[in-house]
């Protein structure tokens, strides 16, 4: 289960010079920051108002009831498949495809699926489908329910993401059928109860996987204009600019970043020794490590937001104003840490699900040098995209005389995150 629980395995022997990796990363960040300061004086992103409409025929196909019904049936069938294998199949990922389906095809597979197709989990979510079926059987409007508390925001999704990453990275036996059944049983009860009380909109605020998919989908070239529901092609930056400034957004993104960072250092020999010899016990020590990683990411961002507010002199909510710039950074970390897991364990899980006994996973598509380059590039590009997103928001919110200065704390934050990400990758 070590491979499934820790996506990249050991990174410490990757054939890439740390000096050149750090030098290239710093050069990319500084050059992009200087170029933006000199050449980008006004906001260019228009959020949900941007996009070129796709052909009407494609729009009709995407919105057709049969197409949406097929997606819901596929999601429900996949959930039933996993449930039956957890209940009736052998225990352990070597012979049971259910753990791989959860940790690889669902958790990691949602990344490329959301980037290519948009917020796909909204259609595939089996809990949303069950809620819809129950409402139809009772003759009830699935959207009917009590209003959500304004301050609730995405906090339930942040808590759900933290719980799932705890299961994946900390739990004593995360691939066991008992652990997975317990988690998804509680997950299902909580969210079906929430939807029964608040309606289907509960899922888009509280379901960890739906919020996770939705945030990543902001970087998809496919989007919808809320004004007319048209399916459009857009710059990913416009999708990112449209991320709602909702309570709990910062917490959700910090969980994404912090848990991936913990995954990066949790396989270091020094940390393994620390956890195994801790008087608190392995699970408690690892839990504290995961919480510390998330807290550190959040504390650095909060410090940056406070400095930005002091410099700007007028920005009232800097925490949520620039939280969208963390999403491409989280994506870069996810690609760097889980690429190998997805391309190797994904096909192996599919072969096992199709009935192949002891399937041989495919060879890695990249040599060690190519893999190291991809991972470093993913982290660096994610940070550069974050700098661009933060700059555009800065020139929109700050007076021209303070627009560049107001970004200095954000640049410092990007450098700190880059140092941390590359250190975990190459140290």
């Amino acid at each position: 289960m070590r491979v499934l629980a820790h996506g990249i395995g050991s990174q410490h022997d990757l054939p890439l010079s740390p000096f050149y990796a750090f030098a290239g990363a710093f050069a990319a960040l500084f050059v992009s920051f200087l170029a933006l300061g000199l050449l980008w004086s006004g906001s260019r992103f228009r959020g949900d108002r941007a996009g070129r409409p796709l052909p009407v025929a494609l729009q009709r196909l995407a919105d057709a009831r049969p197409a949406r019904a097929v997606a819901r049936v596929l999601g429900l069938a996949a959930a039933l498949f996993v449930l039956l294998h957890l209940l009736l199949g052998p225990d352990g990922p070597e012979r049971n495809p259910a753990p791989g389906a959860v940790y690889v095809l669902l958790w990691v597979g949602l990344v490329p699926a959301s980037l290519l197709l948009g917020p796909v989990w909204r259609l595939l979510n089996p809990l949303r489908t069950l809620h819809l079926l129950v409402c139809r059987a009772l003759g009830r409007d699935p959207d009917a329910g009590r209003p959500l508390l304004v301050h609730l925001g995405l906090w339930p999704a942040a808590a759900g993401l933290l719980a799932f990453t705890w299961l994946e990275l900390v739990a004593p036996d995360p691939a066991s059928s008992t652990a997975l059944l317990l988690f998804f049983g509680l997950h299902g009860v909580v969210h079906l109860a929430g939807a029964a009380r608040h309606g289907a909109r509960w899922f888009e605020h509280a379901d960890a996987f739906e919020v996770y998919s939705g945030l990543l989908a902001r970087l998809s070239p496919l989007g919808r204009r809320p004004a007319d529901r048209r399916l459009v092609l857009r710059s990913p930056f416009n999708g990112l600019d449209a991320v709602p400034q909702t309570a709990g957004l910062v917490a959700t993104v910090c969980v994404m970043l912090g848990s991936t960072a913990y995954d990066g250092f949790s396989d270091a020999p020094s940390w393994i020794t620390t956890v195994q010899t801790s008087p608190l016990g392995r699970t408690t020590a690892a839990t504290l490590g995961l919480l510390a990683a998330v807290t550190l990411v959040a504390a650095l961002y909060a410090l940056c937001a406070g400095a930005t507010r002091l410099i700007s002199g007028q920005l009232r909510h800097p925490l949520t104003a620039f939280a969208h710039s963390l999403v491409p950074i989280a994506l870069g970390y996810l690609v760097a840490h889980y690429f190998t897991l997805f391309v190797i364990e994904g096909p192996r899980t599919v072969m096992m699900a199709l009935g192949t006994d002891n399937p041989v996973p495919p060879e890695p598509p990249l040599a060690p040098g190519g893999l190291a380059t991809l991972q470093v590039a993913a982290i660096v590009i994610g940070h550069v995209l974050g700098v661009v997103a933060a700059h555009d928001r800065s020139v929109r919110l700050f007076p021209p005389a303070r627009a560049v200065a107001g970004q200095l704390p954000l640049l410092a934050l990007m450098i700190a995150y880059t140092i941390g990400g590359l250190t975990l990758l190459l140290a």
Side-chain angles (χ1 to χ4, degrees):
M1 183 55 202
R2 180 68 179 174
V3 174
L4 290 183
H6 300 276
I8 54 174
S10 178
Q11 297 286 320
H12 309 290
D13 296 321
L14 290 178
L16 190 66
S17 167
F19 173 80
Y20 290 113
F22 282 106
F26 294 155
L29 288 174
F30 278 113
V31 169
S32 61
F33 177 77
L34 292 175
L36 290 168
L38 293 173
L39 304 175
W40 198 311
S41 58
S43 177
R44 303 184 183 184
F45 304 147
R46 297 186 295 123
D48 281 333
R49 295 173 296 165
R52 177 176 298 178
L54 289 171
V56 175
L58 188 58
Q59 172 91 30
R60 290 174 178 170
L61 177 62
D63 291 339
R65 287 188 176 182
R68 292 177 172 268
V70 167
R72 293 189 181 104
V73 168
L74 287 176
L76 203 57
L80 183 60
F81 173 87
V82 171
L83 178 62
L84 290 176
H85 275 80
L86 289 175
L87 290 172
L88 305 176
D91 206 5
E94 295 81 10
R95 296 181 297 159
N96 193 328
V102 171
Y103 293 119
V104 182
L105 300 182
L106 171 60
W107 179 240
V108 184
L110 270 180
V111 177
S114 301
L115 289 175
L116 293 174
L117 302 174
V120 291
W121 193 246
R122 182 182 177 87
L123 282 177
L124 296 174
N125 189 348
L127 296 180
R128 187 183 277 272
T129 302
L130 286 175
H131 174 254
L132 178 64
L133 293 175
V134 171
C135 287
R136 286 182 176 175
L138 298 176
R140 176 183 173 185
D141 181 1
D143 294 322
R146 298 186 181 183
L148 290 166
L149 296 175
V150 176
H151 298 296
L152 186 66
L154 301 181
W155 281 104
L161 279 175
L162 185 61
F164 180 77
T165 53
W166 181 90
L167 174 69
E168 180 196 11
L169 303 173
V170 175
D173 192 4
S176 72
S177 298
T178 301
L180 287 168
L181 285 170
L182 180 60
F183 174 84
F184 283 107
L186 291 174
H187 178 81
V189 168
V190 167
H191 290 295
L192 288 175
R197 181 179 177 85
H198 298 286
R201 62 185 174 276
W202 166 266
F203 295 106
E204 62 190 75
H205 288 271
D207 187 289
F209 300 106
E210 194 160 312
V211 171
Y212 173 73
S213 173
L215 283 175
L216 294 172
R218 291 291 177 174
L219 289 165
S220 170
L222 294 177
R224 283 187 184 271
R225 291 192 308 220
D228 55 9
R229 300 302 299 163
R230 283 302 303 271
L231 192 64
V232 298
L233 279 178
R234 66 186 181 189
S235 163
F237 283 115
N238 283 310
L240 194 62
D241 188 63
V243 172
Q245 297 182 34
T246 308
L249 172 62
V250 175
T252 302
V253 180
C254 286
V255 170
M256 292 169 62
L257 278 169
S259 61
T260 309
Y262 177 78
D263 189 9
F265 72 76
S266 63
D267 70 329
S270 59
W271 177 250
I272 293 175
T273 301
T274 299
V275 169
Q276 291 177 343
T277 59
S278 172
L280 299 174
R282 178 205 168 278
T283 301
T284 302
T287 300
L288 293 176
L290 174 62
L291 293 176
V294 174
T295 301
L296 177 61
V297 168
L300 289 175
Y301 179 69
L303 183 64
C304 165
T308 299
R309 182 174 183 178
L310 288 175
I311 293 173
S312 70
Q314 62 183 32
L315 191 60
R316 300 182 61 183
H317 303 290
L319 277 175
T320 53
F322 291 95
H324 70 299
S325 66
L326 300 184
V327 176
I329 299 174
L331 173 62
Y333 283 16
L334 289 168
V335 172
H337 284 267
Y338 293 119
F339 173 79
T340 304
L341 175 71
F342 185 66
V343 298
I344 293 178
E345 290 298 323
R348 180 179 176 274
T349 299
V350 172
M351 289 187 288
M352 193 185 306
L354 294 176
T356 304
D357 292 328
N358 298 318
V360 178
E363 291 294 324
L366 296 175
L371 175 61
T373 302
L374 172 67
Q375 292 170 327
V376 171
I379 290 176
V380 174
I381 292 173
H383 284 83
V384 171
L385 295 180
V387 169
V388 175
H391 176 84
D392 189 85
R393 183 64 57 85
S394 179
V395 298
R396 181 188 306 168
L397 297 178
F398 299 158
R402 297 184 180 183
V404 174
Q407 297 173 67
L408 291 175
L410 291 166
L411 177 63
L413 178 71
M414 301 298 180
I415 291 174
Y417 283 168
T418 301
I419 291 174
L422 294 180
T423 299
L424 292 175
L425 193 65
L426 301 170

